[in-house]
Amino acid sequence: MGIIKDLGETYLAANYRRFPVAFVRGKGSRLFDEEGREYLDFCAGIAVCALGHAPEEVVRAIKEQAERLLHVSNLYWTEPQARLARVLVENSFAERVFFCNSGAEAVETALKLARRYAYLRSGPGKTRIVALENSFHGRTYGALSATGQPAYWEGFEPLVPDFMHVPANDTEALIQAVDERTCAVILEPILGEGGVIPLSREFLETARQACDRAGALLIFDEIQTGIGRTGRLFAYELYGVEPDILCLAKGLAGGLPLGAVLAREEVMAALTPGSHASTFGGNPVCCAAALAVLERVLSPGFLDEVRLKGEALRKGLQVLAEKFPEKVKGVRGVGLLLGLETHVSSSELMQALFSRGILTTAPKPDVLRLSPPLIIGYREIDALLGALKEILASL
Ligand SMILES: *Cc1c(COP(=O)(O)O)cnc(C)c1O
């Protein structure tokens, strides 16, 4: 461990707290560092590497597309972009797709779309956006203003005006907050960075009704929960509540940067020519990768497997919670997006797992997050559970 870390520490912005490792290669659920040491990946690039590392069909799609066409801009049509939009529409509530390059950009687009839709229908003044406390929507100004964690705002204010935040799963507060000035409610069906906190069905149903009553749009940020992570293509399917606008990114292109915003025709029509754009958005290579990801995720049995493996992981974690009640509070989450609620420090757990060659994340001081590639194997799940058991016993 040396030269890569030295270079980075010398020349890169110091805005990340990084583990002391540089990865040079990956395959499936495994990563390899400079010295050839192997790691088991329960982070998956923060829920990005849906099919694991170097998945053959995605790599092939990228190579073939890269040899043909890298970029032409959105002044022209390209086949991967148009075909990907069709796949997303055919498998969702939506009728139209806008492509961008990241989660924050997808959120930014959704917020702009909601304000513009309200403006075109109701005139100026219907601009308020209601979001949740402890939510995470990204780091650009609009997305940051929606993010309900003041720690992320520090030093960056003033934020975008007319955002407000209510506690997650507090239906009364939500009903109070949404009125005729509201143009949108934005929420994550499962708060990811907030500590893997699923919203209740009642809360999502209330959000749907409150939006319908106020003529506001319901935005689901499924940047973390989308693309099979919960065992459904989209988490909203679990609740039976449809949004008006859906934000995707992370797992969408299996490791390449791609974001998408989905909406019904009538809503997306507010983005008239010239009103919004992205130079790289819907890049042919990223879209070709996403087509390969979705073909696999939508193949027969794939999502059933995700659900079964998610259940196996959850049960194993539950057993640990029962065995070590003074150290583990419980398990929450859905599919392969799970959080272990801890009494001990989650970052201490994460560090101990790291020193045993297992990658996890700790979004909160008392939550260890597990978001492995969707192709994780049962043996790998057992390896994580075994290591976690030993660590918990020794703490
Ligand atoms: C990661 C994430 C984002 C931000 O995505 P970036 O690609 O980092 O901009 C937004 N919302 C949710 C729910 C996320 O998990």
Side-chain angles (χ1 to χ4, degrees):
M1 183 62 225
I3 199 153
I4 299 175
K5 180 166 174 267
D6 290 347
L7 271 177
E9 283 184 338
T10 307
Y11 294 110
L12 286 169
N15 61 315
Y16 297 108
R17 239 176 265 110
R18 298 182 203 256
F19 288 90
V21 66
F23 290 115
V24 294
R25 192 166 64 81
K27 193 68 203 165
S29 299
R30 278 158 214 281
L31 280 166
F32 300 88
D33 71 10
E34 289 169 284
E35 275 113 44
R37 189 172 176 219
E38 188 177 310
Y39 293 77
L40 188 51
D41 192 0
F42 275 77
C43 164
I46 318 185
V48 165
C49 308
L51 301 185
H53 300 283
E56 265 169 46
E57 64 270 57
V58 178
V59 171
R60 196 183 321 118
I62 291 169
K63 276 187 180 161
E64 285 176 11
Q65 185 56 46
E67 282 170 358
R68 222 175 291 144
L69 191 66
L70 285 180
H71 174 83
V72 292
S73 95
N74 286 307
L75 295 169
Y76 315 100
W77 305 105
T78 60
E79 186 183 352
Q81 189 183 117
R83 284 181 49 214
L84 178 59
R86 179 174 64 187
V87 173
L88 289 170
V89 163
E90 285 179 350
N91 289 281
S92 73
F93 72 95
E95 293 161 340
R96 296 276 170 179
V97 183
F98 172 86
F99 287 113
C100 50
N101 311 285
S102 68
E105 279 178 75
V107 168
E108 214 60 42
T109 300
L111 300 174
K112 285 181 70 180
L113 173 57
R115 280 200 174 159
R116 193 168 158 91
Y117 176 83
Y119 171 82
L120 295 176
R121 279 177 33 130
S122 320
K126 193 174 171 66
T127 55
R128 177 156 308 161
I129 292 162
V130 177
L132 301 186
E133 290 173 8
N134 195 34
S135 61
F136 181 81
H137 297 291
R139 307 286 195 152
T140 54
Y141 264 107
L144 184 65
S145 305
T147 293
Q149 301 191 54
Y152 290 116
W153 303 339
E154 198 190 340
F156 297 118
E157 286 164 281
L159 301 176
V160 178
D162 221 5
F163 280 76
M164 64 179 287
H165 297 87
V166 300
N169 285 330
D170 185 337
T171 52
E172 269 316 303
L174 185 67
I175 290 166
Q176 286 296 315
V178 178
D179 62 23
E180 72 287 351
R181 285 165 301 176
T182 309
C183 70
V185 171
I186 182 167
L187 50 83
E188 306 156 83
I190 302 167
L191 281 71
E193 300 309 302
V196 193
I197 302 169
L199 295 179
S200 68
R201 178 186 296 267
E202 188 200 359
F203 188 74
L204 288 195
E205 286 171 351
T206 302
R208 181 69 273 171
Q209 288 156 10
C211 283
D212 290 345
R213 220 170 16 239
L217 297 177
L218 181 57
I219 304 170
F220 283 178
D221 176 349
E222 290 224 35
I223 288 162
Q224 192 159 149
T225 56
I227 317 299
R229 180 59 46 195
T230 64
R232 307 278 168 191
L233 186 59
F234 305 117
Y236 76 77
E237 299 168 34
L238 296 164
Y239 292 91
V241 176
E242 283 184 2
D244 299 299
I245 304 175
L246 183 70
C247 299
L248 300 174
K250 293 211 161 92
L252 179 55
L256 288 192
L258 181 65
V261 177
L262 279 60
R264 279 177 290 102
E265 171 108 47
E266 179 246 347
V267 172
M268 197 67 98
L271 293 187
T272 50
S275 62
H276 190 60
S278 168
T279 297
F280 287 114
N283 169 279
V285 180
C286 299
C287 288
L291 278 165
V293 169
L294 283 171
E295 189 173 327
R296 179 80 181 281
V297 169
L298 292 169
S299 66
F302 185 92
L303 289 172
D304 298 323
E305 270 294 303
V306 171
R307 289 198 286 275
L308 290 172
K309 287 184 286 199
E311 258 332 289
L313 180 54
R314 165 191 284 282
K315 278 201 188 115
L317 293 171
Q318 195 61 52
V319 168
L320 293 180
E322 280 153 26
K323 194 171 166 66
F324 302 102
E326 71 290 355
K327 292 165 190 167
V328 179
K329 221 195 256 172
V331 188
R332 61 191 181 207
V334 184
L336 286 171
L337 181 59
L338 294 173
L340 189 71
E341 267 184 288
T342 59
H343 293 298
V344 295
S345 151
S346 61
S347 73
E348 214 173 296
L349 271 186
M350 175 180 72
Q351 291 293 344
L353 285 164
F354 176 76
S355 56
R356 287 162 182 253
I358 301 179
L359 306 179
T360 57
T361 47
K364 292 281 159 176
D366 59 350
V367 182
L368 183 77
R369 176 176 48 190
L370 303 160
S371 57
L374 306 182
I375 49 98
I376 191 85
Y378 289 98
R379 228 183 284 158
E380 291 153 337
I381 289 173
D382 287 343
L384 167 92
L385 292 169
L388 203 48
K389 183 176 172 184
E390 283 178 27
I391 292 164
L392 286 168
S394 72
L395 270 182

